[in-house]
Amino acid sequence: MWRPHRDSARAVVAISARSEQSAIDFAQKHAPDAKAYGGYSSLMADSSLNGADAIYVATQPDTHAELVHGFLEHSKDNLAVLCEKPLAPNVEQVKGIYQSARERNRLVVEGMWTRCFPATVKARELIAAGKIGDVVAVNGDFGYTIANGAPAAVRGDPATGGMTLDIGIYMIEKALLSYPVSDYSMTDCQATGVLGKEDGVDLSVSSSMTFVPNAEGSTAPSGVASLFWTGLCDTQEVATIMGTKGQIVFQRPAHTPTTLTLTSQVSRTETEHETFHFDLPEEDGSHEFFYPGSIALQYEAEAVRLAVLEGAEELPHWTHAESIACHRIMGQVRQQLGVAGTSP
């Protein structure tokens, strides 16, 4: 939980964990001035939240929706909520959260941190400026070997676990970046995959999607996306957006991108290449991170800080409409795979 300031400073003022001692230990190591709370209900019971203006929910995924609703109902005015992805296990719950936020004029953000990376912002600018023409195809992969370590929620409950909710969401994000929901609709989705023998969670998924322009009489062509994600092996993790005039490649690792390559088609046999590189923020070595590139979570924190100060109800980086579209696609994929407890 943090309090934003008009300048670039941010202050962590409260930390909550399942046990008070865990919260105390974390605070002593990372935010000595923050107040520690044992249990999330203990934090919610504090009417002032120790001065926090925004809450970051980074618990296990199956607890996200309940905690977000709890903080939306908190008595503190204008309390903003940033929640790790996935915001909820299905699209209906996601829509319900956003509806509740609108009714209370609250900022709620699904933590699609990839969208806040400078490389992603640049890619979006290039696409909008027509640098690669009309997008006609997206190709991408993301895989890591979960046997070597993975979030506990990935295995066990198929309704809230599996690789689609864990990392497939990043691949679908790339498709929606390429085919903005304001301009395109996904009209067909086909998926095949491998489920865990013991728990039935989705472990490997190959999906194909078709996106059609929304505007009647649009001259833009329809496009496709071919996406793969898995927890059974490490993959190259590159994403390519192909257009009628060129292509953009998110170099490895595409979900925490630092390098883009723009290829412009000069003629049928001649191309020009331009590389955009964005160094990750410097780290002082005093903190330990579970995942590569986590120092860049500050991009998302800064975007939320500015949104709080501006009184916004969503981030332009990852709008509610994009989030809902993504969860709708994930629901269709998981339902086609026969994952238990899923709905489109």
Side-chain angles (χ1 to χ4, degrees), residues 249-261:
V249 178
F250 283 85
Q251 304 293 350
R252 174 187 177 91
H255 84 291
T256 54
T258 57
T259 304
L260 294 177
T261 301

Side-chain angles (χ1 to χ4, degrees), residues 76-120:
K76 183 163 186 177
D77 291 337
N78 302 317
L79 180 67
V81 181
L82 166 64
C83 179
E84 261 303 316
K85 58 81 187 166
L87 184 59
N90 62 67
V91 68
E92 291 305 317
Q93 289 188 41
V94 170
K95 289 163 66 176
I97 288 171
Y98 291 141
Q99 178 62 34
S100 180
R102 283 191 297 272
E103 292 170 354
R104 294 166 172 78
N105 295 315
R106 297 282 186 89
L107 171 67
V108 170
V109 178
E110 181 176 39
M112 185 58 74
W113 65 316
T114 300
R115 284 295 183 93
C116 299
F117 276 65
T120 305

Side-chain angles (χ1 to χ4, degrees), residues 306-330:
L306 293 175
V308 170
L309 293 174
E310 294 167 1
E313 294 185 7
E314 64 178 0
L315 284 191
H317 308 71
W318 184 244
T319 65
H320 293 176
E322 289 178 294
S323 172
I324 290 170
C326 183
H327 280 270
R328 183 176 291 114
I329 293 172
M330 289 195 296

Side-chain angles (χ1 to χ4, degrees), residues 35-337:
K35 182 177 179 179
Y37 295 80
Y40 309 117
S41 59
S42 175
L43 174 63
M44 289 183 187
D46 185 343
S47 60
S48 73
L49 297 173
N50 202 38
D53 296 303
I55 299 289
Y56 176 39
V57 176
T59 55
Q60 291 295 327
D62 59 355
T63 66
H64 287 179
E66 179 182 359
L67 289 174
V68 171
H69 275 297
F71 285 117
L72 281 174
E73 294 170 1
H74 196 275
S75 61
K76 183 163 186 177
D77 291 337
N78 302 317
L79 180 67
V81 181
L82 166 64
C83 179
E84 261 303 316
K85 58 81 187 166
L87 184 59
N90 62 67
V91 68
E92 291 305 317
Q93 289 188 41
V94 170
K95 289 163 66 176
I97 288 171
Y98 291 141
Q99 178 62 34
S100 180
R102 283 191 297 272
E103 292 170 354
R104 294 166 172 78
N105 295 315
R106 297 282 186 89
L107 171 67
V108 170
V109 178
E110 181 176 39
M112 185 58 74
W113 65 316
T114 300
R115 284 295 183 93
C116 299
F117 276 65
T120 305
V121 173
K122 183 64 177 180
R124 187 173 230 167
E125 292 174 354
L126 293 171
I127 294 169
K131 294 297 184 180
I132 62 171
D134 293 319
V135 175
V136 296
V138 180
N139 181 270
D141 67 87
F142 187 3
Y144 70 97
T145 307
I146 60 174
N148 296 332
V154 167
R155 299 306 301 260
D157 184 355
T160 57
M163 302 311 296
T164 298
L165 293 175
D166 184 36
I167 60 175
I169 192 170
Y170 289 120
M171 290 290 88
I172 297 168
E173 172 271 319
K174 289 293 184 290
L176 295 175
L177 178 73
S178 310
Y179 304 109
V181 295
S182 57
D183 300 323
Y184 291 86
S185 295
M186 195 275 291
T187 60
D188 185 55
C189 176
Q190 301 296 323
T192 185
V194 175
L195 304 183
K197 293 182 179 179
E198 296 181 357
D199 56 12
V201 303
D202 55 298
L203 296 176
S204 283
V205 180
S206 178
S207 65
S208 298
M209 304 165 196
T210 302
F211 292 83
V212 175
N214 292 329
E216 185 176 350
S218 173
T219 58
S222 298
V224 297
S226 300
L227 310 172
F228 172 71
W229 54 90
T230 183
L232 299 180
C233 68
D234 299 331
T235 72
Q236 188 177 7
E237 206 203 331
V238 171
T240 303
I241 303 170
M242 292 161 270
T244 55
K245 297 180 180 179
Q247 63 181 25
I248 295 170
V249 178
F250 283 85
Q251 304 293 350
R252 174 187 177 91
H255 84 291
T256 54
T258 57
T259 304
L260 294 177
T261 301
L262 169 65
T263 299
S264 301
Q265 201 72 35
V266 178
S267 69
R268 186 175 181 181
T269 58
E270 183 182 1
T271 56
E272 294 180 348
H273 304 277
E274 187 174 2
T275 298
F276 302 90
H277 182 76
F278 306 87
D279 290 327
L280 290 175
E282 294 185 4
E283 51 181 293
D284 59 14
S286 62
H287 305 289
E288 297 178 3
F289 298 104
F290 287 109
Y291 305 109
S294 291
I295 187 68
L297 281 165
Q298 61 188 273
Y299 294 140
E300 182 179 66
E302 175 65 5
V304 172
R305 181 187 75 88
L306 293 175
V308 170
L309 293 174
E310 294 167 1
E313 294 185 7
E314 64 178 0
L315 284 191
H317 308 71
W318 184 244
T319 65
H320 293 176
E322 289 178 294
S323 172
I324 290 170
C326 183
H327 280 270
R328 183 176 291 114
I329 293 172
M330 289 195 296
Q332 290 184 27
V333 167
R334 282 154 49 82
Q335 189 176 52
Q336 286 186 22
L337 296 177

